[in-house]
Amino acid sequence: MYLTIEETADYLELSTTDIVRLIREKQIRTLSDGETILIYKEQFNLYLCEIEKYKKELQEYLDEPIPEDIDIKDED
């Protein structure tokens, strides 16, 4: 399935300016039918999977309790 720049921005939750920048930097592959720039939607699957994996790992890290340091001395 192919998306326009605006549809891609909605899909990736980015601004259209960011999408255009990524296209110029050749980070996103595109096709053109002469008038419209089309972007293949499936090229983002790996990116989205990695983002979800990163979010999960970050949340697990943040949920981990801070261990007590046995070397801390009470200085009362």
Side-chain angles (χ1 to χ4, degrees):
M1 173 182 223
Y2 290 93
L3 304 171
T4 63
I5 291 175
E6 292 79 18
E7 292 170 337
T8 303
D10 289 340
Y11 181 66
L12 296 178
E13 298 176 356
L14 296 171
S15 69
T16 54
T17 308
D18 289 335
I19 300 299
V20 171
R21 180 183 50 81
L22 291 170
I23 291 170
R24 268 192 261 127
E25 293 175 355
K26 306 241 187 261
Q27 304 252 343
I28 296 178
R29 290 176 273 146
T30 62
L31 294 173
S32 177
D33 67 355
E35 296 177 6
T36 308
I37 294 175
L38 299 173
I39 301 165
Y40 188 56
K41 181 179 179 180
E42 298 303 315
Q43 70 179 301
F44 303 112
N45 284 345
L46 179 60
Y47 168 76
L48 294 173
C49 288
E50 290 297 317
I51 291 295
E52 288 302 318
K53 181 180 170 186
Y54 173 74
K55 285 180 182 178
K56 181 181 174 187
E57 289 175 355
L58 179 61
Q59 191 59 46
E60 288 174 358
Y61 174 77
L62 294 174
D63 289 342
E64 188 174 305
I66 299 174
E68 287 190 33
D69 189 3
I70 59 173
D71 294 335
I72 295 178
K73 296 179 181 173
D74 189 18
E75 298 183 14
D76 283 340

